Short mmCIF file of all heavy atoms in Angstrom, two decimals:
data_model
loop_
_atom_site.label_atom_id
_atom_site.label_comp_id
_atom_site.label_asym_id
_atom_site.label_seq_id
_atom_site.Cartn_x
_atom_site.Cartn_y
_atom_site.Cartn_z
N ILE J 8 -1.20 15.70 10.65
CA ILE J 8 -1.04 17.15 10.82
C ILE J 8 0.27 17.62 10.18
O ILE J 8 0.32 18.73 9.64
CB ILE J 8 -1.12 17.51 12.32
CG1 ILE J 8 -1.21 19.02 12.51
CG2 ILE J 8 0.04 16.97 13.10
CD1 ILE J 8 -2.35 19.45 13.35
N PHE J 9 1.29 16.76 10.16
CA PHE J 9 2.56 17.17 9.54
C PHE J 9 2.42 17.19 8.02
O PHE J 9 3.04 18.01 7.34
CB PHE J 9 3.70 16.26 9.98
CG PHE J 9 4.05 16.38 11.45
CD1 PHE J 9 4.92 15.48 12.05
CD2 PHE J 9 3.50 17.39 12.24
CE1 PHE J 9 5.24 15.59 13.39
CE2 PHE J 9 3.81 17.49 13.60
CZ PHE J 9 4.68 16.60 14.17
N ILE J 12 0.98 20.46 7.32
CA ILE J 12 2.00 21.52 7.42
C ILE J 12 2.85 21.53 6.14
O ILE J 12 3.10 22.59 5.56
CB ILE J 12 2.88 21.31 8.68
CG1 ILE J 12 2.07 21.67 9.94
CG2 ILE J 12 4.16 22.12 8.60
CD1 ILE J 12 2.76 21.35 11.25
N ILE J 17 -1.67 24.32 7.04
CA ILE J 17 -1.64 24.97 8.35
C ILE J 17 -0.23 25.51 8.59
O ILE J 17 0.74 24.97 8.04
CB ILE J 17 -2.09 24.04 9.51
CG1 ILE J 17 -1.24 22.78 9.56
CG2 ILE J 17 -3.55 23.67 9.40
CD1 ILE J 17 -1.51 21.96 10.80
N PHE J 31 10.67 22.67 12.09
CA PHE J 31 9.83 23.73 12.67
C PHE J 31 9.71 23.50 14.17
O PHE J 31 9.96 22.40 14.67
CB PHE J 31 8.45 23.76 12.00
CG PHE J 31 7.73 22.44 12.00
CD1 PHE J 31 6.88 22.07 13.04
CD2 PHE J 31 7.93 21.53 10.95
CE1 PHE J 31 6.23 20.84 13.03
CE2 PHE J 31 7.28 20.30 10.94
CZ PHE J 31 6.42 19.96 11.97
N ARG J 32 9.34 24.57 14.88
CA ARG J 32 9.25 24.48 16.35
C ARG J 32 8.04 23.67 16.77
O ARG J 32 6.95 23.81 16.19
CB ARG J 32 9.20 25.88 16.96
CG ARG J 32 10.47 26.66 16.71
CD ARG J 32 10.57 27.95 17.49
NE ARG J 32 11.62 28.77 16.91
CZ ARG J 32 12.94 28.56 17.07
NH1 ARG J 32 13.36 27.57 17.83
NH2 ARG J 32 13.82 29.33 16.47
N ASP J 33 8.26 22.83 17.80
CA ASP J 33 7.15 22.05 18.36
C ASP J 33 6.16 22.99 19.02
O ASP J 33 6.54 23.94 19.71
CB ASP J 33 7.70 21.04 19.38
CG ASP J 33 6.69 19.95 19.71
OD1 ASP J 33 5.64 20.27 20.30
OD2 ASP J 33 6.96 18.78 19.39
N VAL J 34 4.89 22.74 18.81
CA VAL J 34 3.83 23.61 19.33
C VAL J 34 3.71 23.49 20.86
O VAL J 34 3.20 24.40 21.51
CB VAL J 34 2.49 23.28 18.61
CG1 VAL J 34 1.86 22.01 19.14
CG2 VAL J 34 1.55 24.45 18.64
N ALA J 35 4.20 22.40 21.42
CA ALA J 35 4.16 22.20 22.87
C ALA J 35 5.57 21.86 23.35
O ALA J 35 5.87 20.70 23.68
CB ALA J 35 3.18 21.07 23.22
N HIS J 41 12.91 23.20 21.08
CA HIS J 41 12.27 21.92 20.74
C HIS J 41 11.79 22.04 19.29
O HIS J 41 10.78 22.69 19.00
CB HIS J 41 11.10 21.63 21.68
CG HIS J 41 10.52 20.24 21.50
ND1 HIS J 41 9.62 19.69 22.39
CD2 HIS J 41 10.72 19.29 20.54
CE1 HIS J 41 9.29 18.48 21.97
NE2 HIS J 41 9.93 18.22 20.85
N LEU J 43 11.18 20.03 15.45
CA LEU J 43 10.89 18.76 14.79
C LEU J 43 11.44 18.80 13.37
O LEU J 43 11.22 19.80 12.66
CB LEU J 43 9.38 18.52 14.75
CG LEU J 43 8.67 18.53 16.10
CD1 LEU J 43 7.15 18.49 15.91
CD2 LEU J 43 9.12 17.38 16.97
N ASN J 88 10.35 8.87 18.40
CA ASN J 88 9.39 7.94 19.00
C ASN J 88 8.81 7.11 17.87
O ASN J 88 8.35 7.65 16.86
CB ASN J 88 8.28 8.71 19.72
CG ASN J 88 8.81 9.49 20.91
OD1 ASN J 88 9.69 9.02 21.63
ND2 ASN J 88 8.28 10.69 21.12
N GLY J 94 5.22 6.46 22.62
CA GLY J 94 4.79 7.84 22.76
C GLY J 94 4.57 8.56 21.45
O GLY J 94 4.33 9.77 21.44
N GLN J 95 4.67 7.84 20.32
CA GLN J 95 4.43 8.52 19.04
C GLN J 95 2.95 8.87 18.91
O GLN J 95 2.08 8.01 19.11
CB GLN J 95 4.87 7.63 17.86
CG GLN J 95 4.78 8.36 16.52
CD GLN J 95 5.30 7.54 15.34
OE1 GLN J 95 5.62 6.36 15.49
NE2 GLN J 95 5.35 8.16 14.18
N THR J 96 2.68 10.12 18.59
CA THR J 96 1.30 10.57 18.44
C THR J 96 1.00 11.03 17.02
O THR J 96 -0.16 11.07 16.61
CB THR J 96 0.98 11.73 19.41
OG1 THR J 96 1.89 12.80 19.18
CG2 THR J 96 1.08 11.28 20.86
N VAL J 97 2.04 11.43 16.28
CA VAL J 97 1.85 11.85 14.89
C VAL J 97 2.59 10.85 14.00
O VAL J 97 3.81 10.70 14.12
CB VAL J 97 2.39 13.28 14.64
CG1 VAL J 97 2.18 13.68 13.18
CG2 VAL J 97 1.70 14.29 15.57
N HIS J 101 9.36 11.83 12.52
CA HIS J 101 9.94 13.12 12.88
C HIS J 101 11.04 12.92 13.90
O HIS J 101 10.96 12.04 14.76
CB HIS J 101 8.88 14.09 13.42
CG HIS J 101 7.98 13.49 14.46
ND1 HIS J 101 6.95 12.65 14.15
CD2 HIS J 101 7.97 13.62 15.81
CE1 HIS J 101 6.33 12.27 15.26
NE2 HIS J 101 6.94 12.84 16.29
N HIS J 103 12.81 14.69 16.95
CA HIS J 103 12.77 15.79 17.92
C HIS J 103 14.20 16.25 18.17
O HIS J 103 15.10 15.42 18.38
CB HIS J 103 12.22 15.31 19.27
CG HIS J 103 10.79 14.87 19.26
ND1 HIS J 103 9.76 15.66 19.72
CD2 HIS J 103 10.20 13.70 18.89
CE1 HIS J 103 8.61 15.00 19.63
NE2 HIS J 103 8.86 13.81 19.14
P1 AMP N 201 5.43 12.38 18.95
O1 AMP N 201 4.67 12.29 20.25
O2 AMP N 201 6.82 11.86 18.99
O3 AMP N 201 4.61 11.78 17.82
O4 AMP N 201 5.60 13.93 18.66
C1 AMP N 201 4.64 14.71 18.04
C2 AMP N 201 4.95 16.13 18.38
O5 AMP N 201 4.28 16.96 17.48
C3 AMP N 201 4.53 16.57 19.79
O6 AMP N 201 5.67 17.00 20.51
C4 AMP N 201 3.54 17.69 19.53
O7 AMP N 201 3.63 18.72 20.47
C5 AMP N 201 3.95 18.16 18.14
N1 AMP N 201 2.91 18.80 17.36
C6 AMP N 201 1.64 18.38 17.15
N2 AMP N 201 1.00 19.23 16.33
C7 AMP N 201 1.88 20.20 16.00
C8 AMP N 201 1.82 21.37 15.17
N3 AMP N 201 0.71 21.72 14.53
N4 AMP N 201 2.92 22.14 15.08
C9 AMP N 201 4.06 21.81 15.73
N5 AMP N 201 4.18 20.72 16.52
C10 AMP N 201 3.11 19.92 16.65
#
Side-chain angles (χ1 to χ4, degrees):
I8 190 127
F9 293 170
I12 287 173
I17 57 171
F31 53 91
R32 296 190 195 285
D33 195 295
V34 77
H41 188 169
L43 303 172
N88 295 322
Q95 186 176 6
T96 58
V97 180
H101 48 283
H103 295 258

